[in-house]
Amino acid sequence: MKFTKTELFFGLSVPDGTKVTAQQFQAFSDTVIAKSFSEGSTIFDAKGQWLGNNGVLVSEDTKVVMVLNKMTPETSRKIDEIREKYKKYFKQEAVLRIDAKVKGAF
């Protein structure tokens, strides 16, 4: 079957020097991510780095959410809502989104 694989990269460092805790991320996942990806998703830990808007290289723990979906305008909107909510709740500059066409089978 043809799908779109969407990966979202959620940095866990907060600008005030604190970290998004495992409990906070789990609550976000349960209340926001799971509602949009009701058919399932995979979440794994990663280490990331990127150049912030202030020109400082940030290295941080990251959560990656991967989901296979039948991309529609509604699905894309829901994905962007997840990204915007995370940025707002945890004061993030960005949440990376990658979409790729893939073939898969269950």
Side-chain angles (χ1 to χ4, degrees), residues 42-56:
T42 300
I43 300 174
F44 51 95
D45 296 323
K47 294 279 188 183
Q49 65 181 34
W50 69 294
L51 191 61
N53 289 339
N54 60 2
V56 174

Side-chain angles (χ1 to χ4, degrees), residues 54-86:
N54 60 2
V56 174
L57 185 64
V58 176
S59 296
E60 63 184 329
D61 292 333
T62 303
K63 292 284 189 181
V64 180
V65 176
M66 182 179 65
V67 63
L68 295 180
N69 60 78
K70 297 285 190 178
M71 186 60 72
T72 65
E74 177 67 12
T75 301
S76 184
R77 184 190 62 74
K78 286 180 180 181
I79 292 167
D80 283 337
E81 283 181 1
I82 292 169
R83 295 170 64 225
E84 291 305 315
K85 286 180 180 180
Y86 190 83

